[in-house]
Amino acid sequence: MMNTSRVTPIPSIVIKKPRIEYIDLLKAFGIFCLLWFHSIGDLRTSNDEWLLVADPVFKFIVTFNMPLFFMISGFLFAPSLNLNFKDFLKKKSAALLIPHVIWSLLIALMNYGMTFLGWRAGAPEPELAESFRVLSRIRAFFIPDPRADLWFFKDLFLSSLIVFVSCKLFKKRYVAFIASMIFVLIFDVFGLVGKMQRFLMPIFWTGILLKHYYPFVCRHINEVLTASGIVFAVCVYFFDFTYMIYISDFPPLINFPQSLLSKKIVFDVTDIDVSGFRLLTAVAGSIFFFTLFQRFWKKNKVTSLLSRCGQITLGVYGIQAIVLQGVMRNVLDFTDVNIWIYRFVITPVSAALVLAGCILTISLVQRNKSLTFILFGSSLVERGVIRSDNKDAQVQDAWTAEALAAEARRVEACAAEALALEALALEALASAARVAEARAAEARTAAARAAEARVAETQALEARTAAARTAEAYALEARALEAQALEARTAEARALDTLAAEVLAAGARAATRKTKTPAATKVTS
């Protein structure tokens, strides 16, 4: 029997959402590219600017790598909009701000330790103020700086916060998009927004729009993949090292200090063409790799294993800041190695080893739930990958058993309810079928009646046509008889006129004869 001496509530079971494995695989690819990028830039002390300009791998990765993570975050952002502001702030702070604070302190301690040991280049003596860089780190914590350590945590939190507030204030998405873009492109309150937001906010919104139009993208996956690939290839060909957001500027579009001094709006379009080209390159590259992994992803043991790496990218990002950008950067130096071997052998192998070390470290840290929450935030805790080390294992097992039993009962009840709903659905379908059959019979009857009406109408039309033809024939015959009668009357009138003329002629002749006869008599006498 279960020990009931301790009355403890049974924890609720959180049903984990199914993960999109090709996105996890894409994130694993992105974090490997990040490690490769940092390896190229940090493992040679003679990495002058000209060398990085000539490095095709470095230039290729920088065009899309971090924007890709922002687009993925925007794609997965929709569930956060269902939270209220308090829950949203709590969730994002636990996932991003707490790890940022902890890892920033660890980096500061690492800098001091390496300075003390003389490992850090340019700082042979342990200077506490220089090592901690307190003032600069406090400023870097509040003001995003793309050259600062762990800037991704801050800027992703800020992008999420701005988009969340915009979507809560404006229900229509396009209005929220315009409002958030106006805020980051024009307003720069005390430098808190920073040029990274002006660069990455449109890409975050690209992920949101990609999720909104995801069915359309799936239907036209080949066209989207081809178009984005062509645009990305052309942009990479013309991309210059100086176009990087870490080097070029992207100030607010309106310079408020000068506008206040001059009492008119002063626009600042410094590097606006470079900023637009950089944004086009990042969006095209992010969409290209997103659709590429979606199109050709297939589930197998290798992809499933690599997808697990994509679930811990924030943890890897924090650890590599110490291991790769801290220790290895100041300890290792491959300046004398052939550039091709360095570029395609040493740096990718270093990236793979760092990634493997990060995975091993995270798996060890996961044994302690509190330490995992402090170092990696709530993301790994929410995914249920934490292994408990609670001493009271029996109670934990009892909790788990009871919770699973309760869950089984709930599932059974849901199954019964589903069966009842299925029966109701079948009955409704049968009733709908009967109604449809009755309506079909009515329709057939109406169609038969309509056919009969059409036949009767046709017969009536034929009768009317025959009657019209008969009437026309009678009319023609009547007109013929009338014409004959008219001709007869005309002939009779002509005969009468002739007879009258003859009578008149005869009378005239008779009168003439009478006149001539007395005269002849007189002469004779």
Side-chain angles (χ1 to χ4, degrees), residues 198-416:
R198 287 184 280 278
F199 169 48
L200 294 171
M201 178 63 73
I203 302 172
F204 192 89
W205 270 105
T206 301
I208 296 176
L209 295 177
L210 189 64
K211 177 65 174 180
H212 183 73
Y213 294 103
Y214 188 68
F216 173 83
V217 174
C218 292
R219 290 195 302 270
H220 302 85
I221 184 68
N222 293 327
E223 292 82 354
V224 176
L225 176 62
T226 304
S228 60
I230 293 174
V231 174
F232 180 57
V234 173
C235 290
V236 169
Y237 179 79
F238 291 102
F239 195 88
D240 188 78
F241 178 77
T242 57
Y243 296 167
M244 290 173 56
I245 189 63
Y246 310 105
I247 297 177
S248 61
D249 197 12
F250 193 0
L253 296 182
I254 297 179
N255 192 321
F256 282 98
Q258 293 187 12
S259 299
L260 293 176
L261 292 176
S262 60
K263 296 183 180 180
K264 62 179 181 180
I265 298 178
V266 177
F267 292 96
D268 189 349
V269 291
T270 305
D271 292 336
I272 190 66
D273 53 341
V274 172
S275 301
F277 180 75
R278 179 174 56 235
L279 177 62
L280 175 63
T281 306
V283 170
S286 300
I287 294 177
F288 170 71
F289 282 105
F290 184 92
T291 52
L292 180 69
F293 275 72
Q294 180 190 8
R295 175 66 178 81
F296 295 103
W297 173 82
K298 291 184 178 180
K299 185 176 179 61
N300 53 52
K301 293 182 179 180
V302 177
T303 57
S304 298
L305 179 63
L306 294 177
S307 297
R308 296 179 184 177
C309 300
Q311 301 179 24
I312 55 175
T313 50
L314 287 179
V316 175
Y317 178 70
I319 295 174
Q320 67 84 32
I322 291 180
V323 176
L324 179 57
Q325 295 182 277
V327 177
M328 295 177 64
R329 179 181 184 178
N330 290 279
V331 173
L332 301 179
D333 183 14
F334 295 96
T335 303
D336 298 330
V337 177
N338 179 274
I339 185 62
W340 293 98
I341 297 178
Y342 174 77
R343 182 183 297 158
F344 293 107
V345 178
I346 293 178
T347 52
V349 170
S350 300
L353 292 176
V354 171
L355 180 59
C358 292
I359 295 173
L360 178 61
T361 303
I362 292 173
S363 64
L364 294 175
V365 172
Q366 285 178 1
R367 297 177 182 275
N368 188 291
K369 183 175 181 180
S370 300
L371 184 59
T372 303
F373 181 82
I374 292 173
L375 292 178
F376 307 124
S378 61
S379 57
L380 294 183
V381 177
E382 290 176 351
R383 289 170 188 157
V385 295
I386 306 302
R387 293 187 295 272
S388 176
D389 265 347
N390 196 315
K391 295 181 180 180
D392 196 358
Q394 294 181 352
V395 175
Q396 292 291 340
D397 293 340
W399 284 353
T400 304
E402 290 192 16
L404 290 175
E407 182 67 13
R409 290 192 296 270
R410 189 186 68 81
V411 170
E412 185 178 356
C414 291

Side-chain angles (χ1 to χ4, degrees), residues 12 64 68 70 80 138 151 212 294 316 380 391 497 503:
S12 60
F64 73 92
L68 177 63
F70 267 76
S80 298
I138 291 175
W151 62 266
H212 183 73
Q294 180 190 8
V316 175
L380 294 183
K391 295 181 180 180
D497 289 339
V503 170

